[in-house]
Amino acid sequence: MSEFDWFSRIAGMNYYYRYYPIEYFYESLNKNGITQLELWTCTQHFDINQFTYQDTKRFLKKQKKYGLKTICVTPEQSNPKPYNLAAKDELLQKKAISYFENTIRVASELESPYISMNSGWNFYNENIDEAFKRSMSNMSYLAHFAKKFDVAIVFEALQPEESNIVNSLSDLQRYIQGMGSDNVFINIDFGAMSRANETIDDYYRIFPNSIRHCHFVDGNPTGHLSWGEGTRDVLEDISRLHDNGYAGNLTFEFAQSRYFAHPFDVDKRAIDFLKKTLN
């Protein structure tokens, strides 16, 4: 696997470091040899709202102290968070758009090329096409806004328990084509991909030149598990990414509450497993 330098592409994520200060996250990545991060904007780590956000200069200075670079910013956007791109109420839509505009500004100031977004969610008793149109329209606006800041959007599908708007490759294709933006790219989320019974090759058949990011997780087949805890064949996953010419990062978006107590150890075990399997 020497042709695909997977370790240099690993990005840590603070999602499961939520019970520790942000500097502990930076220290842990540094100790584990990880040099890149995807910043999840939980309030206790980096506060953004529709009106303002924390001073990015201080965070950038700290990151550089630990030899880290932000490669993606991921805003809070899943139910029950208050910022929903597909919100039905007009006031809530405006609130969400202002929040995502600030996220784009933060990404630019942190020198991150991407923000990661999804469709938002719908009410179960509404016409799904209406929610789809609201989300797509708002995303189109944000893609145009982000371009002014040299930031691109990487877009992921969700699982049905999270939203019913974009769950599959066919949904993704309809959404991306409907927007017609050249500033929205694809984020392969291994959990959503597995839930839809799709593969890396399936993604590349539909989006051969648009895949820029990856939420790189194990699963049974889903679950956003740490590597070594699920049933995914990581050797095959890396092989398919390599053969398809993937050039992006691989984010550890591990999402189990049992990881919250000892996140450093979770990352270390995942890295040890990957090194043993891939090297």
Side-chain angles (χ1 to χ4, degrees):
M1 218 30 85
S2 59
E3 295 179 52
F4 189 97
D5 186 6
W6 62 269
F7 188 71
S8 70
R9 302 180 188 220
I10 294 295
M13 193 172 188
N14 57 313
Y15 181 86
Y16 46 101
Y17 283 80
R18 63 178 67 187
Y19 286 99
Y20 291 87
I22 188 70
E23 190 157 358
Y24 178 85
F25 171 59
Y26 296 157
E27 290 173 351
S28 297
L29 295 188
N30 181 265
K31 288 177 182 177
N32 273 320
I34 297 173
T35 61
Q36 298 168 106
L37 66 96
E38 181 167 337
L39 179 66
W40 174 58
T41 61
C42 67
T43 298
Q44 297 303 314
H45 283 178
F46 190 96
D47 185 35
I48 306 179
N49 57 49
Q50 71 266 35
F51 303 113
T52 188
Y53 51 87
Q54 286 183 266
D55 179 17
T56 53
K57 293 178 183 176
R58 179 166 61 91
F59 285 83
L60 195 60
K61 184 177 179 181
K62 283 284 188 183
Q63 289 178 17
K64 289 183 176 179
K65 172 186 172 182
Y66 290 101
L68 298 168
K69 175 176 173 52
T70 301
I71 52 87
C72 189
V73 176
T74 298
E76 293 193 302
Q77 55 193 309
S78 297
N79 198 349
K81 303 301 181 182
Y83 305 110
N84 175 13
L85 198 65
K88 195 169 186 177
D89 183 88
E90 188 174 333
L91 179 63
L92 294 179
Q93 285 189 50
K94 290 179 179 178
K95 182 178 178 179
I97 288 170
S98 294
Y99 171 72
F100 293 126
E101 286 176 339
N102 277 342
T103 303
I104 290 162
R105 293 184 179 101
V106 165
S108 177
E109 292 176 22
L110 290 177
E111 302 173 3
S112 170
Y114 301 119
I115 69 165
S116 176
M117 294 194 64
N118 59 54
S119 64
W121 71 94
N122 57 291
F123 288 126
Y124 286 167
N125 63 345
E126 72 169 315
N127 185 320
I128 190 66
D129 287 336
E130 294 304 312
F132 190 99
K133 289 174 185 176
R134 291 195 304 268
S135 174
M136 191 170 59
S137 174
N138 290 332
M139 184 70 77
S140 180
Y141 164 77
L142 289 171
H144 179 73
F145 181 84
K147 203 167 187 178
K148 300 174 186 176
F149 293 84
D150 292 322
V151 172
I153 294 170
V154 287
F155 185 79
E156 66 178 336
L158 295 176
Q159 298 181 51
E161 295 79 11
E162 300 168 305
S163 171
N164 300 135
I165 298 173
V166 176
N167 299 137
S168 66
L169 269 171
S170 60
D171 295 335
L172 269 172
Q173 188 176 29
R174 184 162 70 98
Y175 193 99
I176 297 296
Q177 289 179 345
M179 277 194 308
S181 171
D182 62 355
N183 199 38
V184 179
F185 300 91
I186 302 301
N187 173 7
I188 302 181
D189 182 274
F190 276 13
M193 177 181 72
S194 297
R195 181 60 190 276
N197 294 312
E198 294 163 347
T199 67
I200 293 167
D201 285 344
D202 291 336
Y203 265 76
Y204 272 94
R205 272 192 287 272
I206 303 297
F207 298 108
N209 302 307
S210 299
I211 298 170
R212 297 284 185 90
H213 196 60
C214 178
H215 284 159
F216 183 65
V217 296
D218 207 344
N220 281 320
T222 61
H224 279 69
L225 301 178
S226 177
W227 284 103
E229 295 187 6
T231 57
R232 289 200 66 85
D233 183 346
V234 70
L235 193 62
E236 177 65 12
D237 286 335
I238 291 294
S239 175
R240 300 321 307 140
L241 289 169
H242 173 255
D243 289 350
N244 281 293
Y246 181 66
N249 287 100
L250 304 167
T251 292
F252 282 173
E253 194 190 37
F254 307 144
Q256 295 294 319
S257 60
R258 66 177 181 271
Y259 301 151
F260 295 166
H262 303 288
F264 170 85
D265 296 332
V266 172
D267 281 344
K268 188 176 187 307
R269 287 195 301 270
I271 292 167
D272 288 346
F273 172 80
L274 292 170
K275 284 182 175 179
K276 181 180 178 181
T277 307
L278 298 174
N279 289 348

